[in-house]
């Protein structure tokens, strides 16, 4: 087996496991497995991994740095997949991200909304947005995300830009606590949001370590890196 064939076999086995875990997590709580979208987080991984996973049927990919995401998007050409941007976004990178991202999941402030909308307008594109919520309730930690009580106001601001479509909410569980409480709060917030913006149905929650808890709490999108692609090697961490 060549190194390439070996990698494809590895990714295929990992994907089968992750898909199995998604089915199990949904069945456990009486949900339909097809209600969950698997987003493969391919940050710090070669574009060959993206192409291999796409060939295996993965439809959604997520990246967290503009430069790397833009390069991969270019290298993938016309590949018919959905590109998510999940990293902390600086305002001066928003226009670049608006040129290739289908859904930006990390929007947490008004300045970013405006910069993305103007970038999308210049690119002649429509960009989906999920608002990233800070579930940590710990302002000192400086975590990314809008405070829960500010979500609805930010959503109203976003709705004024025709280039952006509000898809829903995204969150990362706070470190070191049982994620179920935070994920339940996210679900409650998503229901409130949907009351005013019915199309905003996306709940992006759950990573390799807390995917089942997120699915139990109503996630529609899980963002999986390590469980699909294997542990990141030190040399790849930049
Ligand atoms: C890296 C990353 C993930 C994936 O994390 P894993 O633990 O490797 O599954 C999910 N969401 C965001 C925002 C990330 O940066």
């Amino acid at each position: 087996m060549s190194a390439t064939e070996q990698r494809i076999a590895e990714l295929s086995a990992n994907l089968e496991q992750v898909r199995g875990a998604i089915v199990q997590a949904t069945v456990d709580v009486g949900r339909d497995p097809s209600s969950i979208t698997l987003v493969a987080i391919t940050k710090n991984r070669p574009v060959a991994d993206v192409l291999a996973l796409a060939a295996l049927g993965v439809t959604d990919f997520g990246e967290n740095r503009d430069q790397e995401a833009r390069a991969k998007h270019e290298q993938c050409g016309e590949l018919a997949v959905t590109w998510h941007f999940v990293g902390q976004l600086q305002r001066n990178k928003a226009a670049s991200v608006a040129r290739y991202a289908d859904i930006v999941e990390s929007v947490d402030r008004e300045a970013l909304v405006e910069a993305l909308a103007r970038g999308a307008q210049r690119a002649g594109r429509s960009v989906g947005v999920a608002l990233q919520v800070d579930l940590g309730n710990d302002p000192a930690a400086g975590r990314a995300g809008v405070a829960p009580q500010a979500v609805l106001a930010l959503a109203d601001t976003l709705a004024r830009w025709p280039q952006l479509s509000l898809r829903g909410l995204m969150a990362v569980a706070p470190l070191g606590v049982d994620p179920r409480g935070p994920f339940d709060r996210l679900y409650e917030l998503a229901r409130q949001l949907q009351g005013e913006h019915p199309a905003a149905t996306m709940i992006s929650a759950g990573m390799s370590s807390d995917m089942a808890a997120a699915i139990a709490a109503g996630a529609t999108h899980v963002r999986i890196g390590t469980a699909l692609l294997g542990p990141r090697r030190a040399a790849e961490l930049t």
Side-chain angles (χ1 to χ4, degrees), residues 39-136:
V39 183
I41 304 296
T42 47
K43 63 189 185 199
N44 302 314
R45 315 288 184 160
V47 70
D49 282 357
V50 175
L51 295 170
L53 284 171
L56 292 166
V58 174
T59 58
D60 288 65
F61 291 87
E63 290 283 335
N64 72 340
R65 285 170 56 236
D66 171 51
Q67 200 180 1
E68 182 180 346
R70 184 159 27 108
K72 277 190 193 140
H73 179 260
E74 271 166 26
Q75 288 165 320
C76 287
E78 296 295 295
L79 190 68
V81 298
T82 299
W83 292 93
H84 299 244
F85 189 85
V86 303
Q88 285 196 40
L89 186 53
Q90 291 157 294
R91 192 180 177 172
N92 64 356
K93 297 283 173 63
S96 172
V97 169
R99 282 200 287 271
Y100 59 82
D102 298 300
I103 305 178
V104 180
E105 297 196 19
S106 45
V107 172
D108 60 1
R109 56 196 189 276
E110 276 193 25
L112 217 42
V113 169
E114 177 171 349
L116 263 182
R118 295 199 186 285
Q121 188 170 34
R122 272 200 298 280
R125 301 183 70 233
S126 169
V127 175
V129 168
L131 301 178
Q132 181 172 356
V133 183
D134 179 6
L135 296 176

Side-chain angles (χ1 to χ4, degrees), residues 41 43 64 86 170 172 206-209 223-227 232:
I41 304 296
K43 63 189 185 199
N64 72 340
V86 303
M170 179 272 233
V172 177
M207 313 187 359
S208 295
S209 59
R223 306 179 310 270
I224 307 298
T226 312
R232 284 185 283 279

Side-chain angles (χ1 to χ4, degrees), residues 145-188:
V146 57
Q149 60 274 20
V151 164
L152 294 178
L154 187 57
D156 290 342
T157 300
L158 193 141
R160 292 202 284 272
W161 295 93
Q163 301 83 3
L164 304 181
S165 59
L166 180 62
R167 298 294 184 80
L169 300 179
M170 179 272 233
V172 177
L175 279 176
V177 302
D178 186 330
R180 286 178 293 185
F183 285 154
D184 285 344
R185 287 203 297 281
L186 181 68
Y187 183 76
E188 220 13 78

